[in-house]
Amino acid sequence: MLTEISRENGPLRRIAIVGGGAAGWMAAAALARVLGPQGPAITLIESEEIGIVGVGEATIPPIRAFNAMIGLDEDVFVRETRGTFKLGIEFVDWRQRGHRYFHPFGVYGPDFGPTPFEGAWRRLRQAGRAEPLETYSVCAQAAAAGRFARPQPGGGPLSQLAYAFHFDAALYARLLRAHAEAAGVVRREGKVAAVNLRGGDGFVESVTMEDGERIAADLFLDCTGFRALLIGQALESPFEDWSRWLPNDRAVAVPSANAGPPAPYTRSTAREAGWQWRIPLQHRTGNGYVFSSRHVSEDEATANLLANLDGEPLAEPRVLRFQAGRRPAGWVRNVVALGLASGFLEPLESTSIHLIQVGIARLLEMLPTRAFEPADARRYNRLMAAEFDGVRDFLILHFHATERRDTAYWEELAAMSVPDTLVERLRIYRATGRVFRESDELFTKTSWLAVMDGQGPRVEGCEPLAEGLPLDQLEARLARIAEATAEAVRRMPSQADFIRVHGQAATVVAG
């Protein structure tokens, strides 16, 4: 018999997570770990028939904190997900055909007292006496050399290493599931047939399974992907369309055989109507072409992808359809949406997993009681909206600040109006070369500088704080940074050797 959900204040007694995949099982593992065995009962509902969207993932450094928080050993994670390490992203043909640049994790070099490193570097660069930015990044140099090591104490370049991972998304979900179930999460196989709203306040009271069972909870997490079964269909939370800035609405994906040792970085190559990813894993390489269906057909995109693989395809190409944007309210009544149910930003900077992680962290920070104080939901929605908006602006930068005009796709992107927040950043950068990080937003000054410089917006002036620094002194100091960086990279093992010692899968399985 279904028990009525109390409207009284008090701690949550039951949490239902609808949908599995990375979003569902990340939430399950985190909630079970943080709330403990004395916390609310957690049930995760998923159907093997529906499956997950994941086609292989690249991530950004904050995932390391998430894995540590749930108690997932990093070597075990790399081994079980057939993972490799990621030191940044190589961008090919983005500014113009034939041009490459690298967006590294970590930092470039130390500041020069009150003068930021980028200000000093630009003054010397404008004088023709500095090397490209990548020269001063240990992550960029290690990536180019195919090397990897974990950060080491001591204050030198090796202490500045920052990294993330490439991994098989389905294997990650499986690993998270094992962690969550060991912590007491109960998995319920099957499809949801109906969402039942409570009379009076419209809260979700329960979901009805196809076999007729009703599952009640105090809090529901919608991890049903693009279907948004609870937040979108049942509670009708609107979706804000961002296709005017991010027009790509399709992706065709296919795994291929590795052509040599996997590289410790993701590659993104600009194409005629979108861009192609390459994500190297231990057992295969993930590939995909993210494109605008207004500018190229699915068949043409598939042919283009298959013609530009490094190795033999291992499966039939799969087409995914999506729409860029977010829900202004991802927390409505007693439902919180995570992952694709809350919004979608194309995977150019590998932020999908991170946005799930932030949503979980914000939910734990604002964990409701059964009274569901509306102020909690308002703060959650405000912070998540800001998170999405910051990532959105960074993504738009790649497509808008480009010299490419060789196809209708790139002409439209170069001419489009962009959000005022990005207009402001571009004006500041063009005037002085300054970059900045607003509060605790995701992307650091390193990220903004790497992409601003790499995409090519012209800088008219220089950082005022750098104007009085002697050029000879700047040149000597930058030379020392470059040499220390190169020497640190020479001491690092190859990524292949590092994985062989720390994270190689015992049995390599294709597919």
Side-chain angles (χ1 to χ4, degrees):
M1 181 177 178
L2 182 68
T3 303
E4 176 70 14
I5 295 178
S6 172
R7 302 181 187 214
E8 299 174 358
N9 200 352
L12 299 173
R13 299 167 302 184
R14 290 168 295 184
I15 298 174
I17 303 171
V18 184
W25 286 112
M26 284 178 71
L31 291 171
R33 177 80 173 191
V34 173
L35 301 180
Q38 303 305 312
I42 302 172
T43 301
L44 185 144
I45 303 165
E46 70 173 342
S47 170
E48 294 288 356
E49 292 182 27
I50 295 175
I52 63 173
V53 172
V55 292
E57 288 284 355
T59 53
I60 53 179
I63 193 176
R64 297 180 57 218
F66 178 85
N67 285 344
M69 184 267 289
I70 66 172
L72 181 53
D73 179 82
E74 192 165 284
D75 286 350
V76 172
F77 164 76
V78 172
R79 181 176 68 247
E80 295 299 320
T81 64
R82 310 292 196 267
T84 59
F85 295 93
K86 176 182 174 182
L87 295 167
I89 306 175
E90 180 187 42
F91 287 91
V92 180
D93 295 342
W94 278 82
R95 181 195 293 190
Q96 57 189 18
R97 289 181 181 272
H99 179 266
R100 296 171 180 250
Y101 73 91
F102 196 81
H103 169 195
F105 298 140
V107 299
Y108 285 112
D111 293 338
F112 290 52
T115 303
F117 169 84
E118 61 271 15
W121 170 80
R122 186 164 301 281
R123 180 158 185 258
L124 204 61
R125 184 71 170 171
Q126 289 174 336
R129 298 170 66 176
E131 298 298 321
L133 273 174
E134 287 90 341
T135 307
Y136 311 101
S137 163
V138 67
C139 288
Q141 291 299 305
R147 297 178 180 272
F148 178 78
R150 291 190 173 113
Q152 300 177 18
L158 291 179
S159 70
Q160 300 168 351
L161 279 162
Y163 63 93
F165 310 96
H166 308 115
F167 58 85
D168 185 307
L171 294 179
Y172 186 44
R174 183 188 303 173
L175 185 59
L176 291 169
R177 173 181 170 180
H179 251 64
E181 290 184 319
V185 174
V186 175
R187 178 186 180 275
R188 170 63 161 85
E189 165 66 30
K191 295 181 181 179
V192 172
V195 179
N196 309 305
L197 303 185
R198 196 164 67 194
D201 59 12
F203 277 45
V204 174
E205 182 178 52
S206 63
V207 294
T208 301
M209 306 297 292
E210 282 189 337
D211 62 8
E213 180 186 0
R214 296 177 73 191
I215 298 175
D218 303 311
L219 172 67
F220 289 82
L221 304 187
D222 188 343
C223 301
T224 61
F226 292 124
R227 292 179 300 143
L229 185 61
L230 281 73
I231 197 77
Q233 295 183 34
L235 298 186
E236 299 181 342
S237 177
F239 183 87
E240 185 176 324
D241 179 7
W242 285 349
S243 59
R244 64 189 181 280
W245 296 313
L246 299 169
N248 293 338
D249 59 356
R250 299 282 192 280
V252 56
V254 66
S256 67
N258 286 338
Y265 58 89
T266 305
R267 175 181 293 160
S268 170
T269 304
R271 298 295 182 200
E272 288 75 8
W275 61 278
Q276 179 179 333
W277 79 70
R278 187 196 68 173
I279 299 176
L281 307 181
Q282 291 185 38
H283 60 309
R284 61 171 172 80
T285 297
N287 309 275
Y289 182 4
V290 182
F291 61 95
S292 164
S293 62
R294 290 194 301 109
H295 297 87
V296 66
S297 71
E298 293 180 1
D299 288 345
E300 290 171 320
T302 300
N304 191 301
L305 175 63
L306 292 175
N308 287 284
L309 298 180
D310 291 339
E312 177 186 359
L314 299 176
E316 289 299 313
R318 181 159 62 106
V319 175
L320 308 171
R321 300 182 180 187
F322 49 77
Q323 182 181 35
R326 65 164 170 82
R327 297 186 193 281
W331 180 344
V332 179
R333 299 171 199 160
N334 65 333
V335 173
V336 177
L338 296 172
L340 301 177
S342 66
F344 177 79
L345 296 177
E346 63 161 82
L348 181 61
E349 283 285 352
S350 310
T351 52
S352 296
I353 291 287
H354 173 74
L355 290 170
I356 296 169
Q357 181 180 339
V358 172
I360 294 169
R362 295 298 188 194
L363 173 61
L364 288 169
E365 181 182 291
M366 305 301 297
L367 192 70
T369 66
R370 294 199 306 278
F372 283 92
E373 168 55 52
D376 291 338
R378 287 196 296 270
R379 182 172 186 271
Y380 176 93
N381 288 331
R382 182 175 69 252
L383 293 175
M384 289 305 297
E387 192 78 27
F388 268 86
D389 291 356
V391 174
R392 175 203 65 195
D393 284 3
F394 192 59
L395 293 175
I396 295 171
L397 172 65
H398 299 68
F399 294 98
H400 179 66
T402 174
E403 298 170 10
R404 289 194 60 162
R405 303 291 189 274
D406 51 299
T407 67
Y409 174 85
W410 290 106
E411 285 183 350
E412 289 180 20
L413 289 169
M416 71 178 173
S417 297
V418 301
D420 290 343
T421 46
L422 181 56
V423 170
E424 180 181 82
R425 283 186 187 269
L426 285 167
R427 285 176 175 167
I428 291 170
Y429 178 79
R430 287 180 172 123
T432 60
R434 282 176 174 162
V435 291
F436 52 89
R437 184 184 191 185
E438 291 282 10
S439 186
D440 61 348
E441 69 179 358
L442 171 59
F443 290 105
T444 65
K445 291 203 303 179
T446 295
S447 296
W448 283 101
L449 179 60
V451 178
M452 288 280 199
D453 181 70
Q455 293 288 136
R458 180 180 175 82
V459 177
E460 302 296 337
C462 185
E463 164 64 61
L465 293 175
E467 291 287 2
L469 297 176
L471 289 178
D472 289 345
Q473 178 183 333
L474 287 180
E475 187 172 22
R477 186 166 177 182
L478 281 175
R480 289 195 297 271
I481 294 172
E483 177 53 36
T485 300
E487 176 57 30
V489 171
R490 283 192 288 269
R491 299 200 306 269
M492 296 169 67
S494 70
Q495 178 185 226
D497 287 342
F498 189 92
I499 290 176
R500 192 174 298 116
V501 173
H502 295 280
Q504 187 172 42
T507 303
V508 176
V509 180

